[in-house]
Amino acid sequence: MKDGNTPILIPLGSMEQHGHHMPLHVDVLLPTEFARRVAERVGGLVAPAFTYGYKSQQKCGGGNHMPGTVSLEGQTLVHQLRDVIKEFARHGGRDFCIVNGHYENSWFINEAVDLALRELRWDGMANVKVVVLSYWDFVTQETIDKLYPDGFPGWAVEHGGVLETSLMLALYPRLVQLERAVDHPAATFPPYDVYPVKAEWTPASGTLSSPKHASREKGELMLSVCVDGIVQALRDEFNIKASGKRAAA
Ligand code: ZN
Ligand code: MN
């Protein structure tokens, strides 16, 4: 990576309750595997994943009160990610991709990237570029129509639902116990948050929509659509030809 031509992919997850049917580290496993598959096609390297993330929020992750959920304060996450980007830059890395698997991390990632780039500029490194993405944003409308023939409940209530469960069935079937999944209507929330959280707002299972219609086939479809989309984005942003070789600048 010394010449700066090797993209570094950094997966970010969380330790978060994901229903009775899945383990706590779903948000770590999924972006790590997306990063691995993308890295193979763009000649990149995958950094060790961030296994803890920002506090689970009730309307998109069930809430930080759920059993087993262990989170970082925003400032801690910002500083850890800022430090890691700067350290990889010190080793020569110039092109980075943050592969996020936990929605609540989003703004803290942006802050960490902003601080890292600012401090690297102070050190005279102005040519560092960071692509920040969440893998689910690469699911196309066409795919959503196929996956949710009865209507799409929205990404916010996908926590522990069809998307994550299907991906886990495709990649880590032994970590899914579908018979323990609870079938319930998608959670609905008022258009505001309350702290301390009202635990009764979160379905007792901890999932925000039902994983009942999850399947390995749906997971494989999402894997291929999202990996293709992320590969294309990185080729465009990092100027990489389909052969994996760099285009001349
Ligand atoms: Zn999740
Ligand atoms: Mn999450």
Side-chain angles (χ1 to χ4, degrees):
M1 57 180 284
K2 242 184 190 168
D3 60 6
N5 282 336
T6 303
I8 309 297
L9 292 89
I10 307 176
L12 254 86
S14 70
M15 204 51 55
E16 185 182 46
Q17 201 266 15
H18 271 77
H20 302 300
H21 66 299
M22 289 201 292
L24 295 167
H25 60 324
V26 169
D27 291 356
V28 182
L29 293 174
L30 296 180
T32 302
E33 181 60 17
F34 276 106
R36 195 188 66 77
R37 290 177 184 224
V38 170
E40 275 182 349
R41 288 172 52 189
V42 300
L45 293 172
V46 181
F50 278 69
T51 52
Y52 299 92
Y54 181 65
K55 295 164 193 163
S56 179
Q57 297 296 300
Q58 190 161 32
K59 286 156 70 174
C60 54
N64 217 49
H65 61 295
M66 295 302 288
T69 297
V70 175
S71 306
L72 299 176
E73 294 191 357
Q75 183 168 241
T76 313
L77 178 61
V78 166
H79 288 173
Q80 287 189 354
L81 181 57
R82 175 203 61 186
D83 291 354
V84 166
I85 293 169
K86 286 170 64 186
E87 283 293 274
F88 279 122
R90 185 169 62 80
H91 286 80
R94 292 296 178 268
D95 294 341
F96 295 91
C97 178
I98 311 298
V99 185
N100 183 30
H102 175 65
Y103 178 73
E104 288 86 329
N105 290 337
S106 303
W107 296 113
F108 300 96
I109 294 173
N110 295 2
E111 176 68 357
V113 168
D114 188 61
L115 295 184
L117 292 185
R118 182 184 67 175
E119 292 171 25
L120 289 167
R121 275 197 308 273
W122 291 341
D123 282 345
M125 274 184 247
N127 56 344
V128 176
K129 186 171 190 177
V130 185
V131 172
V132 178
L133 59 89
S134 297
Y135 69 80
W136 54 82
D137 284 331
F138 288 81
V139 180
T140 58
Q141 187 58 48
E142 191 193 349
T143 310
I144 289 175
D145 295 342
K146 272 188 220 166
L147 297 176
Y148 302 92
D150 302 327
F152 178 50
W155 291 133
V157 291
E158 255 305 320
H159 172 71
V162 168
L163 169 102
E164 288 183 318
T165 305
S166 296
L167 288 167
M168 288 294 289
L169 285 170
L171 293 170
Y172 303 100
R174 275 179 293 184
L175 296 181
V176 183
Q177 294 175 280
L178 209 47
E179 67 283 2
R180 299 188 64 194
V182 180
D183 190 25
H184 60 76
T188 54
F189 300 100
Y192 56 86
D193 299 298
V194 175
Y195 301 93
V197 294
K198 290 180 166 170
E200 65 273 21
W201 280 8
T202 303
S205 64
T207 55
L208 295 185
S209 54
S210 175
K212 190 180 159 227
H213 294 294
S215 71
R216 184 176 58 82
E217 292 72 20
K218 288 180 181 176
E220 273 161 9
L221 173 63
M222 278 185 279
L223 267 173
S224 95
V225 167
C226 295
V227 168
D228 285 351
I230 299 171
V231 165
Q232 192 54 53
L234 297 195
R235 282 181 183 155
D236 291 345
E237 295 302 329
F238 298 150
N239 206 18
I240 300 166
K241 288 180 184 164
S243 62
K245 293 273 184 313
R246 287 293 167 132

